[in-house]
Amino acid sequence: EQPGRPPTPLPYYYPSTVSMTPLRFASSIASAPAARRCVGLGLGGAAIAWHASQRTPTCEEAAPGRREAKLLVASPAEATPSLAARCIAEALGTGIIVAGGCGAVCTSKYAGGNSTLFGVAAAWGMSVALAVYVTRAVSGAHLNPAVTCALVAIGKAPAEEAPLYIGAQCAGAFVAAGVNYAIFSAAIVAHEAAAGIVRGSAASAASYAGAFGMLPNAAVVGAAGALLAEAYMTSILTFIILGAGDADAASVPAGAQPAVIGAAVAALICTFGPVTGCGMNPARDLGPRLVTLLTGWGGAATTAWYAYTVGPVIGAVAGAFGYQEPG
């Protein structure tokens, strides 16, 4: 902007293109109607703003003597990915999480990896962080049906797009789990033979637990207890997600947000992994669980499934309402 000239309207832009001094992204989009303010504030804390009801954000001039605010303005086509592109990003990102996280469990369980709890938790945390880094600019990086439901509940994501986001997340998880199964199928058979497990029997659920679908630790909690535990841990994760992505608080630099969320996932797994498996993501459970249903586990594949779907959704919504963004 030149002194004396009015601010330039910016129909579309990403928060990652804004130098936050002295312009603040959150205040820039405050004029947009709340119900249509952003596509999503997901795992990456990324919000996508767009023109709504003939009202557009503007760039105000920097105050005299202060560093000028810099914006890299994207065209509407660049700044607002299509719904199809966003769903593809959600599928790919969720697939990355399952490939890395479930893959680490497969290696430890079937291939003699013998990873420690911390090692598995670190693999999950890094997988989440990497998935968020590569998808947040496209879809907002929900990568979790529970997160999508929570964002819809608090008005930060459009309800009409939620079924497509959730379907894409589950599809990505299913494909990644299918690839994991193809890679480890021979090792799984050997594992079952060594343990005397007959696939499809009630006891066979133990042979896929963690690597595909999840089961509660019967020595600690039953299915109902697992549902409550999953709700609790997912509420914590969602609270952290919203806090890390809070543009007003600005407590976490934008570039570090995915790493912080990945660290939160790893920490929660270190605490709750031995209790329920620490799913916190219905797609992470349902996609791999469907693979086991189709590969011979039958009814055993559905053991306690609701704890890992209903629990995280309840917890995510509670965590989202529990977090109130300043201002």
Side-chain angles (χ1 to χ4, degrees):
E1 300 289 346
Q2 298 296 323
R5 293 182 61 187
T8 302
L10 304 174
Y12 305 84
Y13 59 94
Y14 289 108
S16 58
T17 65
V18 181
S19 176
M20 290 295 184
T21 304
L23 183 68
R24 294 294 299 274
F25 172 74
S27 61
S28 298
I29 65 172
S31 61
R36 300 293 294 170
R37 186 168 296 171
C38 66
V39 172
L41 180 68
L43 293 179
I48 303 173
W50 73 87
H51 174 77
S53 302
Q54 307 301 318
R55 301 171 69 182
T56 57
T58 60
C59 174
E60 297 179 356
E61 294 177 354
R66 298 181 65 185
R67 183 167 64 87
E68 182 180 357
K70 297 180 181 180
L71 294 175
L72 303 178
V73 182
S75 69
E78 294 172 333
T80 307
S82 68
L83 179 57
R86 286 183 271 132
C87 286
I88 290 171
E90 287 292 302
L92 291 174
T94 311
I96 289 169
I97 293 172
V98 170
C102 289
V105 180
C106 285
T107 296
S108 181
K109 191 178 184 80
Y110 308 127
N114 297 320
S115 297
T116 64
L117 174 61
F118 179 80
V120 171
W124 277 106
M126 288 187 289
S127 297
V128 168
L130 292 172
V132 173
Y133 272 120
V134 299
T135 62
R136 63 179 180 162
V138 179
S139 67
H142 296 194
L143 312 182
N144 183 336
V147 170
T148 298
C149 289
L151 295 175
V152 170
I154 62 174
K156 290 188 176 293
E160 63 271 19
E161 293 180 0
L164 294 175
Y165 261 52
I166 291 171
Q169 292 154 3
C170 290
F174 171 75
V175 171
V179 173
N180 282 348
Y181 180 80
I183 293 171
F184 292 97
S185 58
I188 295 171
V189 171
H191 171 81
E192 291 171 327
I197 294 173
V198 177
R199 187 178 300 189
S201 66
S204 68
S207 66
Y208 69 72
F212 293 92
M214 287 174 289
L215 291 179
N217 182 343
V220 183
V221 293
L227 188 154
L228 294 175
E230 286 287 322
Y232 173 67
M233 62 189 76
T234 310
S235 70
I236 295 172
L237 176 62
T238 305
F239 193 93
I240 293 171
I241 289 169
L242 293 177
D246 187 341
D248 283 340
S251 57
V252 180
Q257 290 166 4
V260 168
I261 294 163
V265 169
L268 287 165
I269 290 174
C270 282
T271 303
F272 297 106
V275 179
T276 66
C278 196
M280 305 183 292
N281 184 337
R284 173 263 174 271
D285 182 73
L286 289 174
R289 195 179 287 272
L290 181 57
V291 171
T292 59
L293 182 66
L294 297 175
T295 52
W297 272 272
T302 64
T303 304
W305 69 270
Y306 55 89
Y308 299 96
T309 297
V310 178
V313 171
I314 292 173
V317 172
F321 276 110
Y323 185 87
Q324 296 295 328
E325 293 187 8

